[in-house]
Amino acid sequence: QVQLVESGGGLVQAGGSLRLSCAFSGRTFSYSAMAWFRQAAGKEREFVTGITWGGGSTKYADSVKGRFTISRDNAKNTMSLQMNSLKPEDTAEYYCAADRRRAAVIMTTANEYDYWGQGTQVTVSS
């Protein structure tokens, strides 16, 4: 059974930091590009950042460039998102996702991803 499990969300003040983790199991994700998406209340799910299977290439939404950093450790079956200089507009449910069809291309639309975690809430207070 394929599982992606996020952790690390919480409440933080503006300007603070959080580190999200995604643990994946059930299949070999080493050959899957992976990504973080987020969904704020009343809004569509949006791409935040993605990483290729080997970690050699990453992509970021303009809104998080320079503040967020994605990484992955295939040996430990984990992916992380370091979020610094958080803003109230970063408040959302954050989801990790895996693309079973592509390893070296990072897609930015949610429907291109096959596996999803349950989400972890990030709330940034002003």
Side-chain angles (χ1 to χ4, degrees):
Q1 182 179 357
V2 174
Q3 269 197 315
L4 285 78
V5 180
E6 302 94 338
S7 61
L11 173 64
V12 64
Q13 288 188 332
S17 298
L18 280 175
R19 186 176 181 86
L20 305 184
S21 294
C22 174
F24 43 91
S25 62
R27 71 181 296 274
T28 300
F29 283 100
S30 296
Y31 301 107
S32 294
M34 297 188 70
W36 289 95
F37 284 77
R38 67 187 181 186
Q39 188 166 17
K43 295 187 177 181
E44 292 187 355
R45 192 167 297 191
E46 65 173 359
F47 174 82
V48 176
T49 178
I51 189 167
T52 53
W53 72 273
S57 181
T58 58
K59 184 180 289 185
Y60 294 91
D62 288 343
S63 58
V64 306
K65 277 181 184 176
R67 300 188 298 121
F68 290 12
T69 303
I70 189 172
S71 61
R72 66 188 291 173
D73 185 339
N74 291 331
K76 296 182 179 179
N77 286 350
T78 59
M79 178 176 68
S80 297
L81 179 62
Q82 178 66 41
M83 304 186 294
N84 299 328
S85 303
L86 283 161
K87 304 175 181 179
E89 50 264 44
D90 294 317
T91 294
E93 189 84 6
Y94 282 71
Y95 299 88
C96 65
D99 180 351
R100 66 180 174 86
R101 290 161 288 177
R102 286 166 283 257
V105 177
I106 301 166
M107 306 303 287
T108 60
T109 53
N111 61 10
E112 297 287 356
Y113 288 82
D114 307 286
Y115 304 106
W116 292 86
Q118 83 289 349
T120 186
Q121 177 68 35
V122 172
T123 303
V124 185
S125 63
S126 57

